[in-house]
Amino acid sequence: MQITRVHSRVVELKLPAPFHPAWARGRNQATILLVLVAVETDAGIVGHTAAHAGPEAAIAIERFVAPYFIGQDPTRIELLAAVLRDAEILGPPAYFMEIALWDIVGKRAGMPVYKLWGGAQDRVTAYCATAELRTPEQRVEDVERMLAAGYRGVKLRFHHDEVRDDLKVVEAVRKAVGNRMEIMIDANQAGVEPGLTGHRIWGFHRSLAVARELEQFDVLWLEEPLPRDDYDGLARLRDRLDRIKIAGGEDNHGLHEFKLLIDRGCFDILQPDALLSDGIFQLRKVAAMAEAAHLELVPHTWGNGMGLLANLHLAAAAPNCPWLEFPHDPPSGFTAASRDQMLRETLSIDADGKLRVPDRPGFGFILDEDRIAHHTIAEYG
Ligand SMILES: [Mg+2]
């Protein structure tokens, strides 16, 4: 089998209402932008993937990936993973391309990818990842609806000017849900956006003080309390805490960086993303390294339903993935339905709050081709 064509479509899908992500102050997001990629083969099998990105990703594929993929056997993924590592040296990351290759392998084998990688679970517990800042009263209303829908966990954002105001939201939510729901907190301190858009930079002492406050509310984990390369700070923070876990890694890239995060004792929970962090099978290796270190892996996902599905297979494959991020923050424009517009069906939890992995070959993507055709703004390849 040989790869014959790599075809990219840049797609811009409208959100039904305004969306103001807490981690990017001032942003009023009106659309979801993605690059849908089809890797075609001479066997008639087509592998799909989607970048959480715009035309820059399509151009990177054209320049740094497609010339090295075409003519190659798509099942020789460890050879092609090297192409993707080099692509990041030369241009924007293209790690999402490994998903299309595994989609081909799964289709060729007639098996879902998660079963090829261990098939530890058929369902993964989803936590409802919110994105906007809301008042305590609004968030209590939100979590009452989440509980009724079956969610077992909710993640809140900490981006008020005064952290005291963030803590008031947690206090109100904990009072409302009692012990019926886990609460996770994301500080989004690992990347550049808090530095450029007016967010408060925490630093070590604030992170420690906040984490200790969160322990009073039985918060399960604190995510990204410090910059992504503050290995010493993260390890010191983790050492000083008794009950709350420290999570992160969505902004770190590469197998070897994740080994470093594990070896330096930075996190209890690693959160790589199959669209962003490295090739998806490279992250299956990260899950194994985490397992050997008695750590958990809870994939990050945001942006689009194809990324959620890919990360679902990764989480279902390994024995140490207790949760999966499920981006959904009604009544803003970013909900499960808007997130999954490129798919024919919206992914949803069952009565136990779990996401079932589709029992279809590959990743089980079923694209809404009519909608995609209508919203395609550029094509490459
Ligand atoms: Mg996060």
Side-chain angles (χ1 to χ4, degrees), residues 86-101:
D86 275 0
E88 189 175 15
I89 297 169
L90 303 166
Y95 293 122
F96 51 86
M97 289 298 292
E98 216 194 272
I99 292 168
L101 303 177

Side-chain angles (χ1 to χ4, degrees), residues 14 17 22-24 35 122 144 165 179-180 200 227 241 256 274 324 349 364 380:
K14 284 194 176 60
W23 58 83
V35 181
D122 294 318
E144 298 285 7
D165 292 325
N179 60 7
R180 293 174 295 169
R200 187 186 278 273
L241 297 166
H256 302 88
L324 181 65
I349 56 167
Y380 298 79

Side-chain angles (χ1 to χ4, degrees), residues 84 90 134 170 192 218:
L84 303 181
L90 303 166
R134 305 231 170 114
V170 184
V192 72
D218 286 321

Side-chain angles (χ1 to χ4, degrees), residues 155 157 186 188 223-224 250 300:
K155 188 163 81 184
R157 306 281 167 175
D186 196 343
N188 295 108
E223 182 169 326
E224 293 196 335
E250 69 184 68
H300 166 268

